[in-house]
Amino acid sequence: YGVDTWGYGVNDSNVVCGSAKLYLGPNPRQVDRAFVAMNGRSYDLNTLIGGSVFEWNLDHAWGINDNGTIVGRGFNYRTGSFRAFMARRIR
């Protein structure tokens, strides 16, 4: 999925969450991105969250439970701070 990819959590449905190093942007730079992998495909969690959180980069997904709830860490570009996040499946 990325330059370097790590899986940190897996649930009973074999859904894996983790972190990947990607090269992004017009002048590519290395960025950590949280991901989830299921059914042979990987998804960047940042592309799955709503547009109102554009100032955040979810960089690590450390755990996933059997309901699909993911916990991890994100970085806020505006404030320069890291915060924990919890992402729940809504569909």
Side-chain angles (χ1 to χ4, degrees), residues 36-58:
V36 62
M38 60 184 133
N39 302 321
R41 297 198 57 170
S42 293
Y43 303 91
D44 182 339
L45 289 180
N46 291 278
T47 65
L48 302 176
I49 59 177
S52 64
V53 290
F54 64 90
E55 64 194 27
W56 285 93
N57 173 48
L58 305 181

Side-chain angles (χ1 to χ4, degrees), residues 16-89:
V16 176
C17 68
S19 178
K21 291 192 180 297
L22 303 176
Y23 284 96
L24 299 175
N27 297 314
R29 61 185 172 84
Q30 193 171 323
V31 177
D32 289 327
R33 303 286 276 200
F35 77 90
V36 62
M38 60 184 133
N39 302 321
R41 297 198 57 170
S42 293
Y43 303 91
D44 182 339
L45 289 180
N46 291 278
T47 65
L48 302 176
I49 59 177
S52 64
V53 290
F54 64 90
E55 64 194 27
W56 285 93
N57 173 48
L58 305 181
D59 59 2
H60 290 81
W62 286 319
I64 183 169
N65 68 16
D66 292 334
N67 293 325
T69 302
I70 298 169
V71 294
R73 182 185 78 175
F75 177 75
N76 185 297
Y77 292 113
R78 185 177 52 81
T79 65
S81 62
F82 290 94
R83 295 285 186 264
F85 74 83
M86 180 174 64
R88 285 182 250 156
R89 195 174 175 156

